[in-house]
Amino acid sequence: MRRVKRSDAAYEIYQAYAAEHTEKWAGAKALTMDAAMADMPEIERKYNLECAEYGNVLFGLSDEFAAAGKLEQEQLAKLTDVGNLQAQLDSGAYVAVVDGSKVSQADALTKCVEAFEGGRDKAVDAVLATKLPALDKKK
């Protein structure tokens, strides 16, 4: 907090974060190597979920990424409407990868895009609905 000026518009957000950080670390305990290794699969699972949600939020809230994504989505929709998406996939002009494997069918790609949009919208709604108790108290 030393480097954040009190006049900064985000000062209260950083202050709430610092208080939450201090509270969470107050109950920290040391782990043995065996305990840490036993916890690792669950931590990795949560990390992968967090990375996926971060991508959803990034593409939903960032004006730059959201605009680029919207443009690409419209282009895919146009190609699907005129029936050229499969030809583009077959020729290699478009390459789609989902879960580490190449998507070669236009209808599968369309379903993946729709699923991504739904997940992105849910993630953005959840982030926008999140309230920080520390900020609510100050109002």
Side-chain angles (χ1 to χ4, degrees), residues 31-39:
L31 289 177
T32 65
M33 184 59 84
D34 292 335
M37 293 307 290
D39 290 345

Side-chain angles (χ1 to χ4, degrees), residues 23-103:
E23 180 183 319
K24 283 187 177 182
W25 279 95
K29 59 180 174 147
L31 289 177
T32 65
M33 184 59 84
D34 292 335
M37 293 307 290
D39 290 345
M40 200 58 66
E42 180 63 12
I43 292 169
E44 287 177 348
R45 184 188 71 78
K46 289 178 180 179
Y47 171 76
N48 289 331
L49 287 172
E50 185 175 344
C51 287
E53 288 305 309
Y54 176 78
N56 287 333
V57 171
L58 177 68
F59 287 114
L61 291 177
S62 168
D63 292 336
E64 179 183 350
F65 290 120
K70 189 83 163 164
L71 179 64
E72 294 296 327
Q73 175 188 348
E74 289 173 2
Q75 289 177 345
L76 285 174
K78 286 178 186 177
L79 286 172
T80 302
D81 290 343
V82 296
N84 288 341
L85 182 57
Q86 186 62 52
Q88 295 289 332
L89 288 171
D90 292 341
S91 71
Y94 278 97
V95 177
V97 178
V98 175
D99 296 329
S101 61
K102 183 178 173 183
V103 177

